[in-house]
Amino acid sequence: MATTSSRTLRLLSLLQNHRYWPGGELAGRLEVSVRTLRRDIDRLRELGYPVLAHRGVAGGYQLEAGAALPPLLLDDEEAVALQAATQESVAGVAESSLRALAKLTQVMPARLRHRIEALRTATDVPTWRAASAALADPVALVAIALACRDSERLRFGYSAAGGVRSDRQVEPLRLVPLGRRWYLVAYDLDRSDWRSFRLDRMDQPHGTGSRFRVRELPGGDAVAFVLSGIDQVKSLLDVEVLIAAPAEAVRAGLGRWATVEQISPGRCRMTMHAESLDWPAMALGSLGAPFEVVRPPELIGLLRDWARLFRTAVGQNSPTTTSPA
């Protein structure tokens, strides 16, 4: 289901053509209840958009005819949320949000347009993502995106995995959202080498005002660079699964998050590394193909727990059994 932010963007996009929308039809397009639609309409009105409501059995909504849309009064966090909404993995939402964002950007103050554009151009998104990457502090995210875009050296405090804190000065290159985390790919001036940094471990990132000439990243792929660094972390879980589907179809579904090896025309082996088993479980479920878990055994336990939840959701609290004769 779409988030409130992305749904509001889509609602505004539908209303902006000034046509009349019956309430039931509009709720259906947004895949929400009529009550939720009313709340979303109220939210638009609070933002200053003149939405007219027509009561009765055939009631509906439309933007007031001839009314000029007011400027958007957004803070930095809301501006970042609008851009993040365009990267959601929910089918149909990202495209609608992107269209709405393009319209909204035209009436945003220059300061907010500056920040959204910086975040968009500084971010490399992998082919497939298992979960929202919304844990980064939006103020820090914007500061880093601006430094990436403007080729400005960045300073911040950084806490390593072991808890050791150090002060860093880097030449930032790209932002990469993976799973529930954001990473910065940058050239570390103190260590004279490329590094990836988790944004949730950064403290007060800020530009220094010093510009630099952009260096060439080894391999040229920021997402692959971050993934290679994550693969070296010992705490990651190794996942191996046999899938009853062609390797090409599995690669298309999982992207570069996984390594897929063809075993036979309709069977392949998938391996991946993950911080949490929720990610591969959701990925496997999204493929819609039978599979067998080779390792780890914890993934089998997680799938059993999920299976019980799903059976409960469809009214089957336990597997059907046959009484002995």
Side-chain angles (χ1 to χ4, degrees):
M1 183 177 292
T3 65
T4 301
S5 297
S6 62
R7 194 176 62 244
T8 303
L9 284 173
R10 190 179 183 197
L11 172 59
L12 184 56
S13 177
L14 292 171
L15 291 172
Q16 275 188 318
N17 60 17
H18 294 285
R19 62 165 285 192
Y20 174 77
W21 285 94
E25 182 181 351
L26 188 55
R29 289 290 295 268
L30 296 171
E31 298 182 349
V32 298
S33 66
V34 174
R35 178 177 297 180
T36 299
L37 173 62
R38 292 196 193 103
R39 289 199 296 265
D40 290 344
I41 292 292
D42 289 339
R43 175 174 169 78
L44 282 181
R45 288 170 175 160
E46 290 172 0
L47 293 172
Y49 291 94
V51 182
L52 298 179
H54 301 268
R55 310 264 180 206
V57 177
Y61 302 94
Q62 67 183 127
L63 285 174
E64 184 176 344
L69 295 182
L72 281 180
L73 301 177
L74 303 177
D75 57 28
D76 288 349
E77 292 191 14
E78 291 169 329
V80 172
L82 291 177
Q83 174 61 36
T86 69
Q87 298 175 356
E88 290 187 351
S89 58
V90 180
V93 172
E95 182 180 354
S96 300
S97 299
L98 189 59
R99 291 198 306 268
L101 180 60
K103 298 176 182 178
L104 294 175
T105 302
Q106 297 175 11
V107 295
M108 283 182 181
R111 176 181 62 84
L112 294 182
R113 289 200 305 270
H114 184 66
R115 281 155 173 74
I116 285 183
E117 182 64 16
L119 179 57
R120 184 187 66 79
T121 59
T123 302
D124 284 348
V125 181
T127 305
W128 177 86
R129 293 186 298 154
S132 173
L135 294 184
D137 173 40
V139 175
L141 190 59
V142 169
I144 295 169
L146 290 172
C148 290
R149 192 199 63 176
D150 298 337
S151 300
E152 180 182 2
R153 287 179 177 170
L154 197 66
R155 285 188 182 273
F156 53 87
Y158 193 72
S159 298
V164 178
R165 189 186 181 284
S166 59
D167 293 324
R168 302 295 184 96
Q169 181 177 198
V170 304
E171 295 177 351
L173 180 67
R174 303 294 294 174
L175 284 164
V176 177
L178 291 178
R180 292 183 58 81
R181 305 191 191 281
W182 284 81
Y183 294 83
L184 169 66
V185 175
Y187 187 84
D188 192 322
L189 294 171
D190 296 322
R191 290 154 181 78
S192 300
D193 199 3
W194 288 94
R195 294 285 191 274
S196 63
F197 301 93
R198 273 175 42 177
L199 266 65
D200 58 308
R201 292 178 176 170
M202 289 184 181
D203 180 25
Q204 297 182 338
H206 61 278
T208 64
S210 176
R211 308 286 177 168
F212 63 89
R213 178 176 295 179
V214 178
R215 305 170 191 259
E216 184 176 351
L217 176 69
D221 188 330
V223 175
F225 181 82
V226 173
L227 287 174
S228 67
I230 293 177
D231 288 346
Q232 297 172 13
V233 178
K234 295 182 179 179
S235 61
L236 288 181
L237 298 164
D238 292 328
V239 176
E240 180 180 354
V241 179
L242 301 177
I243 304 174
E248 183 178 353
V250 175
R251 291 192 191 100
L254 302 185
R256 52 184 129 182
W257 274 86
T259 300
V260 183
E261 172 192 359
Q262 186 80 38
I263 298 176
S264 64
R267 188 174 174 83
C268 65
R269 184 190 317 276
M270 184 276 290
T271 58
M272 68 163 57
H273 305 299
E275 293 179 338
S276 167
L277 291 176
D278 289 345
W279 302 357
M282 288 187 287
L284 291 166
S286 70
L287 294 175
F291 61 87
E292 175 188 351
V293 176
V294 178
R295 57 188 167 97
E298 292 84 359
L299 178 56
I300 298 175
L302 175 65
L303 293 173
R304 284 174 177 162
D305 291 341
W306 284 17
R308 283 193 290 270
L309 290 174
F310 295 151
R311 284 198 298 268
T312 300
V314 297
Q316 299 177 17
N317 294 325
S318 60
T320 302
T321 58
T322 304
S323 301

